[in-house]
Amino acid sequence: MESRGLTLFNTPIGPCGIAWRESRITGVEIGDADESETGYRLRQRFPDSESSTPPAFVTQAIEKIETLLEGGNPDFSTVPLALQSLPDLNRQVYEIILELKAGETTTYGAIARRLGDVHLSQAVGYALGKNPFPIIVPCHRVLGSNGKVGGFSAAGGIKTKLALLNIERAGASREADLFGGLPLQARPQAD
């Protein structure tokens, strides 16, 4: 019998979830104000999966996500992802952005140039909009030209993208965050 399942977990950006099949992660849902909505979206994407205790490789991925969201810089390149069924271009884009470390950013155009054709910038944006593994495949680190934020298809949209970028920058900087407030480390923590 094939091993598949999904699990939800809480993070500083809201409830997140991971789905898996066999020994690969098949999808991630990130940050939403409501755990039931996150679970609903994950079950819609993976209707053959039920909530269950995650295997070790999923637990390790969750720990890496939590580390990142606490300002750390985990290595996601070893997380087993179900990439084989994805279009070639999407897979190539995801492999490129997996090379980025926390706090590093690139642009749609830079990725397109690495793929060999700057005219692929729009296709890169489309691939990022279809990213089934947000946070693990850090599409939030891809910006538009001239540092414009660009889009973000995960729950919360651009607000979530900015929150992720601020968390990552907070690990390396005491500057004011992108929302214009105090540095994240200097903010009072909720009990």
Side-chain angles (χ1 to χ4, degrees):
M1 181 173 173
E2 185 175 58
S3 167
R4 62 175 66 203
L6 55 88
T7 191
L8 299 176
F9 57 100
N10 289 315
T11 74
I13 64 167
C16 293
I18 291 184
W20 67 90
R21 184 176 65 232
E22 292 303 321
S23 60
R24 303 258 180 233
I25 291 173
T26 53
V28 176
E29 283 289 333
I30 66 170
D32 196 276
D34 185 314
E35 184 175 309
S36 63
E37 179 65 24
T38 301
Y40 173 79
R41 284 195 321 270
L42 200 57
R43 286 186 299 279
Q44 288 294 109
R45 289 176 58 196
F46 304 99
D48 296 335
S49 297
E50 294 183 16
S51 293
S52 61
T53 303
F57 75 94
V58 174
T59 300
Q60 291 168 357
I62 290 170
E63 290 169 355
K64 289 180 181 201
I65 290 170
E66 290 169 340
T67 297
L68 177 78
L69 295 175
E70 292 168 359
N73 187 13
D75 179 8
F76 287 111
S77 67
T78 60
V79 174
L81 302 173
L83 296 169
Q84 68 279 3
S85 63
L86 301 176
D88 288 341
L89 178 71
N90 294 30
R91 196 168 47 251
Q92 291 171 7
V93 169
Y94 304 157
E95 289 168 355
I96 289 170
I97 61 175
L98 273 167
E99 297 172 9
L100 297 173
K101 303 294 181 211
E104 290 181 327
T105 59
T106 191
T107 64
Y108 302 100
I111 293 171
R113 281 189 292 282
R114 283 198 52 193
L115 294 170
D117 185 353
V118 73
H119 295 100
L120 290 174
S121 296
Q122 192 170 25
V124 168
Y126 180 79
L128 294 173
K130 297 292 185 186
N131 177 9
F133 319 104
I135 294 184
I136 294 175
V137 174
C139 54
H140 62 279
R141 296 179 186 155
V142 182
L143 305 174
S145 62
N146 299 322
K148 294 177 184 166
V149 175
F152 195 59
S153 61
I158 291 173
K159 179 181 174 186
T160 300
K161 183 174 186 172
L162 290 171
L164 291 169
L165 290 170
N166 281 325
I167 288 167
E168 291 182 7
R169 200 177 89 203
S173 172
R174 300 279 307 166
E175 297 174 23
D177 69 32
L178 294 171
F179 296 118
L182 294 171
L184 290 174
Q185 299 102 324
R187 288 188 181 168
Q189 299 296 313
D191 294 352

